[in-house]
Amino acid sequence: MIYIIDDFLEAPILNAANAYLNNGPFVKTVSGEKDFYIKESPDDFTQYIVDRLTVIEKRPVASILAFFREATDELDVTWRIHSDLNIKGEKPDRALVLYMSPRELEDLHGTALWEHNQYGREIPKGITDEEYDTMISVDAEDLERWRLSSVIGYERNRLISYPSSYFHSKYPNVSWKEGRQVFVMFYKFN
């Protein structure tokens, strides 16, 4: 199940988070063959999200990894369609994206959900590491291997939570000049 919550952060928390994002650069981080531009999430912000999710999910939640990410018209411009099978050696139950920066495009943009021509809408539980690595390194940029299922539109302060096994990407692959800034978290149920 996918759920969307608009106006997720209270105004003072959103304003403080955006002040943090605007203070200092995002740092280039390489994962595999992919460059990401990230900024660490302060512990109190991550804990706030965990506490809210625990109420929403009606069961305890633990963060596996949480960070802020930026993509612009020049940085992080690949599709990289993927699912989040393994994060820091753990298998998350869910992933979330919280749109932080103001909306700058009128065209459709946000988070895309995809269907793979072989696997469907999510990574199979029994997939081997080799199959997964091939899919990430070869299929992730080959749009002929995918069918766009839906796009969840970008709106500032909108939270999206979905099963980590779902195939997804940002949409489109190129953001605007000022940069799309999002909070990303992978979490599991305790």
Side-chain angles (χ1 to χ4, degrees), residues 26-55:
F26 283 70
V27 177
K28 178 179 174 180
T29 303
V30 179
S31 178
E33 297 176 10
K34 173 83 171 119
D35 294 343
F36 295 93
Y37 296 85
I38 67 168
K39 190 177 271 200
E40 289 186 30
S41 174
D43 291 340
D44 59 342
F45 185 83
T46 301
Q47 188 59 52
Y48 173 85
I49 301 292
V50 166
D51 292 344
R52 290 280 314 272
L53 288 174
T54 295
V55 172

Side-chain angles (χ1 to χ4, degrees), residues 71-86:
T72 71
D73 58 343
E74 295 180 356
L75 303 175
D76 192 1
V77 294
T78 61
W79 282 105
R80 196 177 173 274
I81 302 167
H82 67 287
S83 69
D84 300 303
L85 177 68
N86 187 330

Side-chain angles (χ1 to χ4, degrees), residues 60-75:
V61 166
S63 172
I64 296 171
L65 179 64
F67 56 90
F68 293 97
R69 180 175 170 190
E70 181 176 58
T72 71
D73 58 343
E74 295 180 356
L75 303 175

Side-chain angles (χ1 to χ4, degrees), residues 12-30:
I13 295 170
L14 178 63
N15 293 338
N18 278 307
Y20 169 75
L21 293 178
N22 293 324
N23 186 14
F26 283 70
V27 177
K28 178 179 174 180
T29 303
V30 179

Side-chain angles (χ1 to χ4, degrees), residues 62-133:
S63 172
I64 296 171
L65 179 64
F67 56 90
F68 293 97
R69 180 175 170 190
E70 181 176 58
T72 71
D73 58 343
E74 295 180 356
L75 303 175
D76 192 1
V77 294
T78 61
W79 282 105
R80 196 177 173 274
I81 302 167
H82 67 287
S83 69
D84 300 303
L85 177 68
N86 187 330
I87 303 294
K88 294 178 69 175
E90 296 191 54
K91 295 190 182 305
D93 292 304
R94 298 188 67 83
L96 73 77
V97 176
L98 174 59
Y99 301 132
M100 299 298 296
S101 54
R103 178 186 174 103
E104 296 291 334
L105 297 178
E106 290 305 316
D107 295 339
L108 179 63
H109 64 289
T111 300
L113 299 169
W114 300 86
E115 290 185 23
H116 189 270
N117 62 6
Q118 179 181 352
Y119 301 117
R121 73 176 181 180
E122 62 187 305
I123 197 85
K125 293 194 186 311
I127 195 169
T128 66
D129 288 344
E130 183 178 276
E131 289 172 312
Y132 181 77
D133 290 345

